[in-house]
């Protein structure tokens, strides 16, 4: 028997690795470099902007100005004046609705376009044209169409996130190796079984690629949309801070926005790995 | 419409009558006390003898400018609740465009019922010129929120010329820039709105054609300052605290405060959707009473600091109180070294009949909109004003809160208006005024 | 001869694209007995895979028919199960689940859940993959993947087992191991097997008969060679066997003398 299940381990480090130790090493290996780089950047920023007349406030001032916002994320003073956690949650809620709708519709349309050459020829040119329309340009149209500001905001997210999902899904569907299809044919799987057991799992890595791009775009779109429509949300918070020249508030908000965007991406990737059992990136 | 004599008394309009009930409510904090009472009793409690409001709810929009102060004050001091409007939401709008869209939607579709709004915009909506489907939106203009207090600012590139009401220096400088191939632009907040009309009037009176000699465009206030900083903006007209902030950041200076163009000129209005007023007349009256009382509060000299403090809250304007309080009190630092104390052109909310919605003023705004092509020349201005302007409600509310009859204008016209360049607007003959203007569309 | 178990009758196959018709197969006829091990060999491009795919039902012949137990068969089905050249295991399923997919589909009504589980395990044991049930295809070697592919095909209890160059992608040693496995399984189960190969040694070692195809276009069956070597066959001892070498000679002669590929080496 010549087959091995795993390539042989390097003999050099032959210590029994406990799970905890391995986890610790991984955290150190992946977590330390960005922390170091981040700290360096903060120091450079602090030095560059500490001189009087600097264009941007240094990190120390940002923290100073926004201390109340940082330490009290859940305060509520009425109207739009609520803590950062509430602002972020409001935006995330809109993203959740809009993105989920985009995911369902996007995967469905992607499967349709991927499966049917006719649908591809009919719908693809339409998709290619529509997807270049910037999300904010949809806002006045959707306001006029829905005659209600809540669904309009959700629509902006929907129409932004759906394109990468459709396109990636259809590519995934079309790239199902012929062999898998032959396996299904030999087994005489019916349409539903084929869809569920072969088509979706085979296309899943592509679908999740599209979903990851989509969630990032959703987050971008809602920030921009909220700048226009107002209400409670991190986008309007940024717009309002800009109007009142509160630069430190904007910087703080951007940090939060970036972190949340990163976490959303990781979340979708994680779910992707779970669902596709490791075959997704 | 006959002339109305103006009252010289600027100070001393204290808070109205001290009914026993209101005094005790005042002790508890009106709003808090009312929430302790069961709903049925609440509206009955506020003023003995009046009927209950049809709905305690209203959504009012505002833009973060000092002229919305009466709305802030009404909310902060519990004045809405005092008159039975216990569920009023005063909501910051992100732009005048959003205000327009939300008014068209109405609160039933997650929009707003009324707003702190540019006076001409009320008529543009009522005439159907700015709605997305071209349909007229019935509006009711209940009160003027303020007079005066806007500013026209210039970038420091023009500091040498020390431009003021007289913009001949600006004109030559502009021509030079254009000859050198540079783009020149003037910014305002909304096409056909008050700021657009002020800057156009000022430039046109100085021989600068706002459509040909310079590009006049809509820019959000924050962007005006940012653009001027990088040299992309030559002049703008906007409310406070922007002009003060421009000086503070050393980017530009104030050419004038708009009261110098036209003394005691009307500015923003409080307007509601027509259908709200029709369905809820008592609620409308209650809102109006609260706002009138707030306007009175804002014009008491001793209260100015508190008003500035309220404006500084993140929820309202969020700019530093220092940027706001100076001009509120009448101290104008023009940024050129010239500082005027106790200027007569400070923003007024109540004094000198600032709150009364003169129909002659509405007529001027419509006429100027026609001048620049924002409204059609054949519009039935009088008919529209008769539909939209609700000075009758204003009088009813003012009487109800105890404003002495001598302080309530009897007519709807403030008579002839004279501008800084000597032009006269006679509300009896708007066409003659229009014809007398050389620069127009 | 009694009614053949599997009969390939007058199969023609042409492909038409952009108005141009190319004939791949012309009048292919073959009768196979039950339990026979048939290899089809020929130069690349001679259409041997096409023949297999037609028998499998994945491709429709332009004319002619396939008869299994005297009934015409069209379209694919588990009674003619296929082992692919590229194992074709589904990467998101474990070894066990790949075979279970086939078992659950084919035996849904006829075997109970416990029986299907046992049957799946049995087939995996038969190819010596019982120790790696919960591994993913990405975690096992090429030879093991092919074993699983064979287990999956066998688990369908096919009437005819079709192998499409099953060991082409493997190295020589692994190939040898798997050939021995297949022979061992074959001796147990006595399946009817049709295999495509271009390895002469493999064909002679494993088959009862070798079907040699002419070159395309319009390829057809050139010669059929019966391999009369006793089973079980051991490759080491066969190396010196003159009959073995004679058969090899015959096949090589067919391929490289009588029907050498036009245009020589690619």
């Amino acid at each position: 028997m010549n087959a091995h299940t795993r390539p042989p381990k390097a003999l050099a480090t032959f210590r029994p690795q406990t799970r905890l130790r391995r986890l610790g090493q991984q955290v150190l290996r992946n977590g330390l470099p960005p922390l170091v780089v981040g700290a360096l950047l903060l120091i450079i920023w602090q030095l560059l902007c500490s001189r009087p007349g600097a264009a941007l406030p240094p990190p120390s001032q940002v923290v100073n100005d926004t201390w109340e916002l940082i330490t009290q994320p859940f305060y509520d003073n009425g109207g739009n004046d609520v803590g950062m956690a509430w602002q972020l949650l409001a935006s995330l809620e809109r993203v959740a609705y809009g993105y989920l709708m985009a995911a369902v519709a996007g995967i469905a349309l992607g499967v349709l376009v991927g499966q049917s050459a006719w649908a591809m020829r009919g719908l693809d040119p339409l998709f290619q044209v529509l997807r270049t329309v910037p999300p904010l340009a949809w806002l006045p149209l959707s306001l006029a169409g829905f005659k209600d500001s809540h669904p309009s905001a959700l629509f902006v997210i929907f129409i932004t996130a759906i394109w990468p999902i459709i396109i990636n899904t259809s590519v995934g569907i079309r790239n199902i190796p012929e062999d898998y299809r032959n396996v299904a044919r030999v087994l005489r799987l019916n349409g539903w079984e084929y869809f569920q057991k072969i088509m979706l799992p085979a296309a899943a890595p592509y679908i999740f690629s599209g979903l990851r791009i989509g969630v990032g775009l959703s987050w971008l779109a809602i920030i921009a949309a909220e700048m226009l429509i107002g209400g409670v949300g991190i986008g309007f918070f940024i717009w309002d801070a800009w109007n009142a020249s509160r630069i430190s508030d904007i910087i703080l908000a951007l940090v939060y926005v970036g972190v949340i965007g990163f976490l959303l991406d990781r979340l979708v990737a994680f779910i992707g790995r779970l669902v596709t059992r490791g075959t997704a990136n | 419409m006959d002339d109305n004599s103006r009252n010289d008394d600027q100070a001393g309009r204290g808070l109205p009558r001290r009914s026993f009930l209101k005094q005790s409510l005042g002790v508890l904090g009106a709003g808090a006390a009312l929430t302790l009472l069961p709903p049925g009793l609440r509206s009955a409690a506020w003023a003995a003898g009046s009927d209950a409001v049809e709905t305690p709810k209203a959504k009012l929009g505002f833009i973060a400018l000092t002229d919305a102060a009466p709305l802030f004050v009404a909310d902060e001091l519990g004045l809405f609740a005092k008159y039975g409007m216990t569920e009023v939401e005063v909501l910051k709008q992100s732009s005048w465009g959003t205000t327009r869209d939300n008014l068209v939607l109405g609160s039933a579709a997650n929009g707003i019922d009324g707003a702190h709004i540019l006076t001409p915009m009320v008529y543009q909506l009522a005439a159907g010129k700015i709605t997305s489907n071209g349909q007229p939106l019935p509006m009711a203009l209940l009160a003027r929120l303020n007079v005066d207090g806007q500013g026209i600012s210039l970038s420091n590139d023009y500091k040498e010329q020390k431009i003021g009401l007289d913009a001949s220096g600006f004109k030559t400088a502009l021509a030079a820039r254009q000859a050198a191939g540079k783009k020149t632009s003037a910014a305002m907040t909304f096409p056909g709105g008050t700021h657009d009309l002020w800057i156009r009037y000022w430039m046109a009176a100085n021989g600068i054609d706002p459509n040909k000699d310079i590009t006049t465009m809509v820019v959000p206030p924050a962007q005006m300052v940012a653009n001027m900083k990088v040299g992309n903006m030559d002049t703008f007209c906007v409310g406070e605290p922007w002009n003060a902030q421009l000086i503070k950041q050393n980017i530009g200076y104030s050419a004038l405060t708009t009261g110098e163009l036209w003394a005691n000129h009307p500015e923003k209005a409080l307007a509601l959707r027509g259908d709200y007023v029709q369905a809820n007349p008592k609620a409308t009256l209650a809102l109006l009473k609260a706002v009138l009382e707030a306007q009175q509060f804002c014009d008491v000299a001793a209260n100015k600091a508190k008003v500035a403090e309220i404006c500084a809250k993140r929820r309202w304007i969020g700019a530093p109180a220092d940027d706001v309080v100076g001009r509120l009190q009448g101290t104008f630092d023009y940024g050129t070294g010239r500082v005027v104390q106790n200027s007569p052109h400070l923003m007024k909310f109540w004094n000198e009949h600032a709150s009364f919605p003169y129909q002659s003023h509405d007529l001027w705004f419509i006429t100027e909109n026609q001048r620049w092509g924002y409204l059609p020349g054949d519009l039935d201005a009088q008919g529209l004003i008769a539909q939209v302007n609700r000075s009758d409600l204003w009088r009813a509310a003012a009487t109800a809160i105890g404003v002495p009859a001598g302080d309530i204008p009897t007519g709807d016209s403030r008579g002839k208006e004279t501008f800084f360049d000597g032009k006269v607007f006679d509300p009896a003959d708007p066409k003659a005024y229009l014809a007398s203007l050389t620069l127009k569309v | 001869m009694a009614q053949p178990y599997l009969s390939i009758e007058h199969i023609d196959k042409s492909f038409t694209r952009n108005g141009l018709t190319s004939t791949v197969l012309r009048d292919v006829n073959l009768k196979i007995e039950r339990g026979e091990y048939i290899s089809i060999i020929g130069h690349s491009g001679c259409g041997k895979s096409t023949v297999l795919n037609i028998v499998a039902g994945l491709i429709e012949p332009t004319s002619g028919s396939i008869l299994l137990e005297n009934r015409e068969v069209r379209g694919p089905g588990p009674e003619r199960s296929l082992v692919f050249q590229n194992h074709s295991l589904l990467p998101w399923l474990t070894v066990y689940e790949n075979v279970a997919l086939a078992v659950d589909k084919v035996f849904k009504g006829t075997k109970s859940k416990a029986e299907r589980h046992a049957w799946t395990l049995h087939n995996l044991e038969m190819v010596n993959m019982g120790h790696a049930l919960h591994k993913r295809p990405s975690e096992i070697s090429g030879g093991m993947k092919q074993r699983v592919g064979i287990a999956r095909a066998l688990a369908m209890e096919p009437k005819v087992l079709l192998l499409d160059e099953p060991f082409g992608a493997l190295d020589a040693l692994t190939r040898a191991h798997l050939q021995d496995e297949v022979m061992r399984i074959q001796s147990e189960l006595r399946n009817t097997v049709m295999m495509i190969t271009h390895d002469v040694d493999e064909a002679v070692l494993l088959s009862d008969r070798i079907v040699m195809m002419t070159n395309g276009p319009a390829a057809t069956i050139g010669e059929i060679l019966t391999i009369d070597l006793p089973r079980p066959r051991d490759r080491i001892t066969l190396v010196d066997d003159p009959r073995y070498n004679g058969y090899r000679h015959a096949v090589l002669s067919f391929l490289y003398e009588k029907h050498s590929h036009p245009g020589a080496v690619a």
Side-chain angles (χ1 to χ4, degrees), chain A residues 22 28 36 89 109 165 192 221 227 269 277:
Chain A
R22 247 185 305 143
L28 218 58
V36 169
L89 282 174
L109 281 171
I165 300 176
W192 173 245
M227 289 196 192
R277 308 232 216 134

Side-chain angles (χ1 to χ4, degrees), chain B residues 203-277:
Chain B
M203 290 197 293
N206 279 289
I208 304 169
D209 187 327
N211 289 332
K212 301 205 179 83
D213 298 331
I214 193 172
T215 312
T216 306
M217 54 200 224
V218 176
V219 174
Q223 218 167 311
M224 290 180 186
V225 175
N227 272 333
M228 208 173 258
K229 193 169 183 175
V230 297
N232 278 348
M233 191 64 63
D234 299 285
T235 176
F236 61 66
C237 177
V238 72
E240 296 298 343
W242 294 104
N243 302 288
Q245 289 205 326
L246 187 74
I247 294 171
K248 192 169 179 189
Q249 295 179 32
N250 205 17
I251 302 171
Y253 68 99
S254 295
L256 52 93
T257 177
T258 48
E260 297 175 53
L261 284 178
W262 174 11
N264 289 334
H265 70 77
E267 186 43 52
K268 308 287 194 303
L270 173 69
L272 292 181
R273 285 172 57 102
D275 60 7
Y276 184 95
V277 173

Side-chain angles (χ1 to χ4, degrees), chain B residues 400-425:
Chain B
I401 63 170
V403 176
D407 294 340
I408 299 180
T410 45
D412 283 311
S413 165
R414 205 172 77 175
K416 298 198 184 135
E417 306 282 350
T418 310
F419 296 84
F420 81 100
D421 58 347
K423 282 250 174 356
V424 174
F425 172 74

Side-chain angles (χ1 to χ4, degrees), chain C residues 38-230:
Chain C
I38 302 287
S39 291
I40 303 184
I41 198 168
H43 290 286
S44 49
C46 71
K48 49 192 196 287
S49 276
T50 311
V51 172
L52 194 81
N53 281 325
I54 290 176
V55 174
L58 292 173
I59 300 179
E60 285 267 308
T62 312
S63 67
S65 53
I66 308 287
L67 295 168
L68 179 62
E69 285 183 315
N70 239 352
R71 255 199 231 100
E72 183 172 358
V73 284
R74 312 188 73 149
E79 74 283 354
R80 284 158 293 140
S81 70
L82 205 46
V83 177
F84 300 85
Q85 186 169 9
N86 290 317
H87 62 85
S88 288
L89 298 183
L90 303 175
W92 57 88
L93 296 177
T94 62
V95 161
Y96 175 85
E97 286 166 341
N98 264 289
V99 179
L101 177 71
V103 171
D104 286 339
K105 175 62 183 173
V106 173
F107 297 111
K108 191 172 353 181
T110 45
K111 290 195 207 238
S112 75
K113 199 163 172 199
E115 285 174 331
R116 279 180 268 144
H117 173 70
W119 179 240
T120 307
L121 288 177
H122 170 80
N123 279 286
L124 281 165
E125 298 283 342
M126 188 154 35
V127 298
N128 282 325
M129 285 301 293
H131 58 89
L133 293 177
H134 301 295
K135 292 232 164 61
R136 293 266 162 70
S138 57
E139 296 167 335
I140 57 178
S141 72
M144 296 169 114
K145 286 193 268 230
Q146 205 55 306
R147 278 176 216 266
V148 179
I150 294 171
R152 178 176 65 188
L154 287 175
M156 298 186 220
E157 280 196 318
K159 295 200 172 123
V160 181
L161 183 65
L162 303 169
L163 306 168
D164 188 351
E165 299 197 45
F167 313 126
L170 303 170
D171 64 274
L173 289 178
T174 315
R175 207 183 306 151
H177 280 295
L178 284 181
Q179 287 163 352
D180 292 341
E181 292 272 323
V182 169
M183 279 198 287
R184 179 182 56 76
I185 294 169
Q186 177 59 359
S187 66
E188 266 184 55
L189 297 178
R190 307 236 133 261
N191 275 321
T192 311
V193 182
M194 184 191 279
M195 179 174 80
I196 305 287
T197 183
H198 45 41
D199 182 337
V200 177
D201 288 294
E202 182 173 276
V204 177
L205 181 63
L206 296 179
S207 326
D208 293 323
R209 278 192 295 159
I210 300 181
V211 173
M212 295 176 274
M213 297 201 57
T214 61
N215 292 323
T220 189
I221 293 181
E223 286 176 29
I224 302 182
L225 186 64
T226 308
I227 307 292
D228 204 0
L229 293 169

Side-chain angles (χ1 to χ4, degrees), chain B residues 64-82:
Chain B
L65 298 168
T66 51
D67 35 38
L71 291 183
F72 310 158
V73 165
D75 184 283
E76 290 270 337
L77 298 187
L79 297 176
F80 289 121
K82 175 176 171 184

Side-chain angles (χ1 to χ4, degrees), chain A residues 18 36 43 90 97 118 125 140 142 147 153 164 186 228 275 278:
Chain A
T18 61
V36 169
I43 293 174
Y97 284 123
W118 193 94
S142 67
K147 298 203 189 315
V186 170
L228 287 189
V275 167

